[in-house]
Amino acid sequence: MLLSVIIPCYNEELVVQETYKRLSEVMGRTGMDYELVFINDGSQDQTFPMLCRLAQEDRAVKILNFSRNFGHQCAVTAGINNCNGDLAVIIDADLQDPPEVILDMLDIQKRENANVVYGVRKKREGESKFKLITAKYFYRTLNKLSDVQFPVDTGDFRLIDRKIIEEFNRLHEKNKYIRGLISWMGYKQVPCYYERKERFAGETKYPLKKMLKFASTGLLSFSKKPLKIALWTGLVSVLIGLIYALTILILKIVHPAFFVTGWTSIVFIVIFFGGIQLLTIGILGEYIGNLFDEAKDRPEYIINNKINF
């Protein structure tokens, strides 16, 4: 049985050597044949040359080198598309998810005969309160809005079997939310609880801007409820406008001298209804933008070269 480890990398020169060392040690303890599939996602530092040296020394190291930076989810997608394993583990190169947990995942998969073993974070070290709080409420909000229930406090760190790999490779949508897609597939999925560590070195590759984009992709990919919210918000605003107009008309008839010529109420109405319209158009625009990306049918990523495949 072959075990593939999928490791997306972007500017990870400070950690890639240690990542290789710890993964190799863990793989040696499994007693399984394995391949370490590193995806260089357009790194601008020495990540790719370092990976090339590792690949020369160890044939188990395989490299997919992108033509430019396409993003974390595209890198994971490329790893799943090109791995050869009967089982595959997705893990980031930063060592926040300890490679040693893979041994626990393998035990759980064998014991439970599971198709997916997903990592659940009991504790997250080295992360700001803002990130912890926003992550916590994002997953719970997504579950309330989505038609599919996702496990909370999870990332892409997980073990998947060949059945999941093959089903995933049949999915051709462009803006992937991978952890959501794997949950959407069904089959037998069980948790593996662990404590997440601080980055071994370097800086996070998910600043606030990327986090917001990632959250938007997850929400728009698995829920049509924002469109329904926009619809109901529009209906409520129309109702408020009718009640307001009727109230003004009645007061004008009953108390003609009650109103003083001014612009306050007009400005209020314009701002209120203008805001509702822009909100609705913005939600529609996000969905249309996703449809535009799908319609262009461009590849999710471009591989410049493959090493040791």
Side-chain angles (χ1 to χ4, degrees):
M1 181 176 284
L2 179 66
L3 174 61
S4 300
V5 185
I6 297 166
I7 313 113
C9 303
Y10 177 63
N11 292 345
E12 298 289 7
E13 64 180 1
L14 297 178
V15 301
V16 71
Q17 187 70 44
E18 182 68 16
T19 300
Y20 164 75
K21 177 184 175 183
R22 285 179 60 181
L23 282 172
S24 297
E25 290 174 354
V26 170
M27 293 300 104
R29 291 162 61 185
T30 66
M32 300 171 65
D33 294 330
Y34 67 90
E35 61 180 6
L36 303 179
V37 183
F38 288 90
I39 303 94
N40 180 46
D41 186 20
S43 298
Q44 302 299 312
D45 59 4
Q46 293 299 305
T47 298
F48 182 57
M50 293 175 71
L51 289 175
C52 289
R53 287 194 291 271
L54 292 174
Q56 289 177 346
E57 299 167 1
D58 186 352
R59 295 291 298 178
V61 174
K62 301 185 178 184
I63 304 171
L64 298 171
N65 183 40
F66 280 180
S67 61
R68 65 169 177 84
N69 176 243
F70 284 91
H72 179 271
Q73 297 293 281
C74 292
V76 175
T77 297
I80 297 176
N81 293 160
N82 290 275
C83 72
N84 299 306
D86 303 290
L87 298 171
V89 173
I90 304 166
I91 186 170
D92 288 340
D94 57 17
L95 297 178
Q96 283 189 284
D97 301 318
E100 293 74 20
V101 177
I102 295 174
L103 298 172
D104 297 329
M105 289 182 167
L106 288 168
D107 288 340
I108 293 171
Q109 191 275 333
K110 185 176 181 181
R111 184 174 67 248
E112 300 284 344
N113 194 27
N115 301 101
V116 179
V117 181
Y118 56 87
V120 180
R121 303 151 179 166
K122 293 190 297 184
K123 185 179 179 182
R124 301 173 64 157
E125 298 178 3
E127 295 185 352
S128 65
K129 288 185 177 180
F130 174 77
K131 186 168 184 178
L132 293 173
I133 292 171
T134 52
K136 175 181 177 181
Y137 286 104
F138 165 69
Y139 291 118
R140 285 153 181 81
T141 302
L142 183 60
N143 268 338
K144 288 183 178 180
L145 293 177
S146 176
D147 298 327
V148 180
Q149 291 300 297
F150 306 112
V152 298
D153 302 322
T154 64
D156 289 318
F157 182 37
R158 61 192 61 217
L159 181 149
I160 56 179
D161 69 2
R162 174 48 63 175
K163 185 177 289 186
I164 296 294
I165 293 170
E166 291 176 353
E167 291 297 332
F168 182 88
N169 290 339
R170 293 173 56 199
L171 303 175
H172 300 297
E173 57 194 85
K174 307 305 178 193
N175 295 312
K176 284 188 173 73
Y177 180 65
I178 292 174
R179 64 195 69 169
L181 286 172
I182 293 176
S183 296
W184 170 84
M185 289 180 195
Y187 297 108
K188 187 170 185 180
Q189 307 197 18
V190 295
C192 174
Y193 296 91
Y194 72 102
E195 293 186 3
R196 200 172 201 226
K197 305 298 182 182
E198 293 186 58
R199 282 185 63 92
F200 178 79
E203 299 178 351
T204 178
K205 305 306 184 294
Y206 261 95
L208 180 60
K209 182 179 179 181
K210 284 190 176 181
M211 286 173 58
L212 291 173
K213 186 177 186 300
F214 186 60
S216 172
T217 299
L219 182 60
L220 298 179
S221 296
F222 288 93
S223 178
K224 297 187 289 291
K225 288 185 180 177
L227 291 172
K228 295 179 180 178
I229 292 172
L231 173 63
W232 284 106
T233 303
L235 291 175
V236 170
S237 67
V238 169
L239 182 61
I240 292 172
L242 290 173
I243 293 172
Y244 188 74
L246 185 61
T247 302
I248 291 175
L249 180 62
I250 293 172
L251 289 174
K252 189 72 173 176
I253 295 172
V254 176
H255 300 289
F258 181 79
F259 289 93
V260 177
T261 302
W263 53 269
T264 305
S265 59
I266 296 175
V267 169
F268 171 78
I269 292 171
V270 169
I271 291 174
F272 177 76
F273 286 106
I276 295 296
Q277 290 170 352
L278 291 174
L279 174 65
T280 305
I281 292 170
I283 293 173
L284 287 171
E286 289 293 325
Y287 280 97
I288 293 170
N290 280 357
L291 290 173
F292 180 58
D293 286 338
E294 297 294 329
K296 288 185 291 188
D297 200 28
R298 293 175 184 168
E300 295 175 73
Y301 55 84
I302 298 174
I303 298 176
N304 187 22
N305 50 338
K306 294 182 177 182
I307 298 175
N308 282 351
F309 277 87

